Amino acid sequence: MDLQGTDIQIDALKLSKVHKNPVPEHYSRIINAVDHDGFRLAETYAWRSHYGEFGSNFRARSDGQRVQILNNPSRWNQPHSLNGVSIRKAIQITNQQAALVGLPQFDGESTVQLLHVCADVELGSKQKAQAYIDHLKTIKAPRLKPGSTYPTTVNFGDGSETKRIKAYIKSEAVRTQNTHTDEKEIAELERRGVVRLEVEYRYKSLKALNWRKLSNLTQAKLVKQFKKDTAFMTKEYEMKDLDEIPKKYIGTLSMYLMGIDPREKMHRNTFNAHRNALKKYGYDISVMSVERLKPKTRTLVLKVAEWPEGYNKPKHLKAV
């Protein structure tokens, strides 16, 4: 699988800029921290949320000097974040959002505080996508501790100050995140077995890569580093055909593979039903072997997910 510049997109971006001259204040409320005697220790300008089309949003705040915006530029005014945007487009969208709420633009001297970079890959079916996620749960990421896992998601590096890497089945994320994607599009994601690979670059990695300064970020650099960080996830591997066999037939097949004749353990009608079902996967459980059999395997291949031209074409920006 060879990722190109257009295959990498920005899934989250947090920018900050300190201005020498006063700029408009922008916040939802001011939170004061006080000691036990009631003396103020610090004050925090809380984020103010702004909403666009399809439930998209971004957050902004300004204390009159420091301006910050946190967003998902690929999701802004779109029903989903498929076929997202490059870093250049992400900066343009962020500056458009700043202008919408009366805040100054972010320039090359601005500070990158958080960056999520991702790419979508497809495996050919929902079952293969699940087999791929299950496989990732069994391997380790270089220099990252194992993270949390869920049925359709695996994380590496939870709590790390450098980066966190994750993979998840995109159709399930779209379905549960209350986006405006219809069931036909979700069904298409399932049919193609689309999995999202995502790297969250945090403070230490941004500093080590010299990416804290916005002008140092280029699409070419992102692609090169993303490919390096996800290399352990994008290797082909052999999956057992058991991964695609319905659960109710696994017990029967397991007996067969261990050399136990299933006919001795089940009713004839049940045996025939299981035999006919398993034949579709290349197993004839009516033919016993004197040697212990091994499950059939096939190579699971990842390829870059491709979307039609204009599939997620940015629309007119607006916020409320």
Side-chain angles (χ1 to χ4, degrees):
M1 185 182 70
D2 186 20
L3 292 168
Q4 304 297 320
T6 55
D7 302 323
I8 303 297
Q9 64 190 56
I10 307 303
D11 204 48
L13 181 63
K14 182 180 179 182
L15 297 181
S16 176
K17 172 71 175 180
V18 177
H19 296 265
K20 294 181 180 179
N21 298 319
V23 298
E25 292 186 353
H26 189 86
Y27 54 88
S28 61
R29 66 186 187 279
I30 297 178
I31 303 172
N32 290 307
V34 298
D35 62 17
H36 63 280
D37 294 320
F39 290 99
R40 189 174 67 182
L41 300 176
E43 64 178 20
T44 301
Y45 287 68
W47 291 99
R48 182 174 175 180
S49 296
H50 299 273
Y51 298 90
E53 297 179 57
F54 306 107
S56 60
N57 69 86
F58 69 92
R59 294 195 292 168
R61 65 182 176 185
S62 167
D63 60 7
Q65 185 177 20
R66 181 189 299 274
V67 177
Q68 293 175 291
I69 283 185
L70 172 62
N71 65 8
N72 177 349
S74 293
R75 175 75 170 83
W76 178 242
N77 279 340
Q78 302 300 323
H80 47 63
S81 61
L82 301 174
N83 201 23
V85 300
S86 65
I87 184 60
R88 181 179 178 182
K89 186 64 180 178
I91 296 170
Q92 291 176 356
I93 290 173
T94 303
N95 278 329
Q96 288 174 322
Q97 291 171 337
L100 285 170
V101 295
L103 293 175
Q105 305 281 287
F106 293 94
D107 58 19
E109 297 299 314
S110 301
T111 300
V112 181
Q113 296 185 309
L114 184 70
L115 177 67
H116 291 198
V117 182
C118 64
D120 292 328
V121 298
E122 58 181 273
L123 294 104
S125 71
K126 181 180 179 181
Q127 292 78 13
K128 289 180 180 179
Q130 186 62 61
Y132 173 61
I133 292 294
D134 292 340
H135 165 69
L136 292 179
K137 294 175 183 178
T138 68
I139 65 176
K140 295 181 179 180
R143 296 179 294 280
L144 285 178
K145 294 181 180 180
S148 54
T149 61
Y150 304 94
T152 59
T153 303
V154 58
N155 294 288
F156 303 92
D158 287 354
S160 170
E161 294 181 351
T162 56
K163 59 178 175 283
R164 183 176 72 158
I165 302 175
K166 67 188 298 185
Y168 55 93
I169 296 177
K170 188 60 180 176
S171 60
E172 293 303 312
V174 170
R175 179 177 284 115
T176 59
Q177 287 173 0
N178 194 30
T179 65
H180 290 69
T181 307
D182 62 34
E183 284 299 321
K184 289 184 178 179
E185 290 178 301
I186 292 175
E188 177 66 7
L189 292 174
E190 291 181 340
R191 184 188 69 80
R192 294 168 62 174
V194 176
V195 172
R196 171 154 293 185
L197 309 181
E198 184 174 319
V199 182
E200 176 184 331
Y201 294 100
R202 297 173 174 172
Y203 174 77
K204 286 189 175 180
S205 59
L206 290 171
K207 184 177 180 181
L209 293 166
N210 198 27
W211 286 359
R212 289 274 289 167
K213 186 177 179 181
L214 184 58
S215 61
N216 289 340
L217 277 184
T218 66
Q219 194 71 4
K221 290 179 181 178
L222 292 179
V223 172
K224 182 178 179 180
Q225 188 63 39
F226 184 87
K227 291 170 70 172
K228 179 180 178 181
D229 289 332
T230 59
F232 76 100
M233 308 169 74
T234 55
K235 297 177 181 177
E236 296 180 358
Y237 82 99
E238 288 190 342
M239 62 174 283
K240 295 182 177 65
D241 268 353
L242 301 183
D243 294 326
E244 292 192 337
I245 296 176
K247 291 182 179 179
K248 65 180 181 179
Y249 304 124
I250 292 295
T252 303
L253 180 58
S254 296
M255 285 192 291
Y256 172 72
L257 294 175
M258 289 188 293
I260 301 172
D261 191 340
R263 284 171 289 203
E264 299 176 0
K265 303 293 182 180
M266 59 180 59
H267 190 276
R268 181 179 61 186
N269 292 343
T270 303
F271 171 81
N272 288 332
H274 285 215
R275 177 193 176 193
N276 292 333
L278 290 169
K279 271 188 173 183
K280 299 176 183 178
Y281 300 94
Y283 297 97
D284 187 348
I285 60 174
S286 66
V287 179
M288 299 301 299
S289 172
V290 295
E291 296 182 359
R292 183 164 178 167
L293 302 175
K294 294 182 179 181
K296 300 178 186 295
T297 61
R298 68 175 65 175
T299 301
L300 193 58
V301 180
L302 284 73
K303 70 175 184 177
V304 178
E306 297 180 356
W307 310 106
E309 185 70 23
Y311 186 76
N312 201 28
K313 187 177 181 181
K315 300 177 180 178
H316 176 66
L317 299 177
K318 71 175 184 180
V320 295

